[in-house]
Amino acid sequence: MSAVGATAAYLNHPGDSHHDRVSFLGAQLPPEVAAMPRLLGDLDRGTFRKLLKLVVSSQQGEDCREAVQRLGAGAHLPEEQLGALLAGMHTLLQQALRLPLASLKADAFQDQLQELGIPQDLAVDLASVVIGSQRPVLDSMARQQGAWLPHVTDLHWRVDVAISTSTLARSLQPSVLMQLKLSDGSAHRFEVPIAKFQEVRYSVALVLKEIANLEKRCQRKLQD
């Protein structure tokens, strides 16, 4: 049986439904996080802290594969359970770290973890990573890992009006001429018809509004 197939047995729990709660995990609870309470049932806090340390080290760019194997052998954890636990902890931390630190409160964050069925002492350990002294390092690593694609550094634009075309003696059709400069030094020029520009502007504004509404709902839930 493949590792994915074996781990799936730990992730498929139709009865574990927390997806109706709005939290830092979003409206739909990831299955690997939903499986964590059952997997943590017989796990001692010392082993959990070692697992958490490995997940944090992995998010900081370290290769932890050998350390994971040694921990699994020393703690007598089945490979499938170990993989499912690491997947759940990684997803949980990854989602929590997406929120600004100012929007998180330790007590509210721990309460949400306990609502998911995570024991209180383990919730405290998770909160210490998300809100504690390691947070700036994790944020810095996330920015570095996400910066491998070129990003926009400058934008120039102007409106041109075509007075005439090869088929029309009098056109007077406006268009937007844009130039993007990227962080890798490249520049891209393109022309956008006014109708298409208005369509893009509306779509971007709609997406930004939906993102802002979602962030407000998550922040209210965490601050309650």
Side-chain angles (χ1 to χ4, degrees), residues 4-222:
V4 174
T7 302
Y10 287 85
L11 305 183
N12 186 20
H13 297 287
D16 296 340
S17 178
H18 302 276
H19 65 277
D20 55 331
R21 297 192 180 104
V22 177
S23 72
F24 66 94
L25 291 166
Q28 185 66 41
L29 185 65
E32 60 268 29
V33 176
M36 285 183 63
R38 187 173 67 90
L39 298 171
L40 293 171
D42 298 328
L43 196 70
D44 63 272
R45 191 176 186 182
T47 301
F48 177 82
R49 285 182 167 179
K50 292 177 182 177
L51 285 172
L52 183 58
K53 183 177 180 180
L54 289 175
V55 172
V56 172
S57 297
S58 175
Q59 293 190 349
Q60 292 176 344
E62 299 181 20
D63 186 348
C64 301
R65 286 173 293 185
E66 292 185 3
V68 168
Q69 293 177 354
R70 289 196 301 269
L71 177 59
H76 305 291
L77 287 174
E79 182 178 351
E80 298 83 3
Q81 182 182 0
L82 179 62
L85 275 171
L86 291 172
M89 294 166 68
H90 175 81
T91 299
L92 192 151
L93 290 179
Q94 188 177 53
Q95 294 298 318
L97 291 169
R98 292 176 59 186
L99 291 177
L101 183 58
S103 68
L104 293 169
K105 291 185 178 180
D107 292 341
F109 182 67
Q110 292 175 31
D111 288 344
Q112 284 206 13
L113 294 178
Q114 291 180 63
E115 287 179 8
L116 295 174
I118 296 176
Q120 181 180 6
D121 55 343
L122 305 187
V124 170
D125 292 336
L126 288 166
S128 69
V129 173
V130 176
I131 307 176
S133 59
Q134 297 183 77
R135 176 63 184 263
V137 178
L138 293 172
D139 286 343
S140 176
M141 290 300 302
R143 286 191 295 268
Q144 293 177 21
Q145 292 171 2
W148 61 277
L149 287 177
H151 57 275
V152 176
T153 59
D154 198 7
L155 169 67
H156 295 280
W157 64 275
R158 74 171 187 240
V159 177
D160 284 350
V161 179
I163 298 176
S164 62
T165 67
S166 58
T167 57
L168 294 176
R170 187 176 179 84
S171 175
L172 298 180
Q173 181 65 40
S175 62
V176 180
L177 186 64
M178 308 185 75
Q179 176 179 282
L180 296 177
K181 291 185 177 180
L182 304 184
S183 57
D184 60 0
S186 62
H188 301 271
R189 297 180 182 88
F190 52 93
E191 184 177 344
V192 183
I194 290 296
K196 181 60 68 174
F197 177 80
Q198 295 289 6
E199 181 181 336
V200 172
R201 183 193 63 78
Y202 172 79
S203 299
V204 170
L206 182 62
V207 170
L208 291 175
K209 181 177 181 296
E210 292 297 327
I211 291 175
N213 291 339
L214 180 60
E215 288 179 343
K216 287 179 181 178
R217 288 198 297 269
C218 291
Q219 290 174 8
R220 282 199 299 266
K221 178 65 176 179
L222 289 173

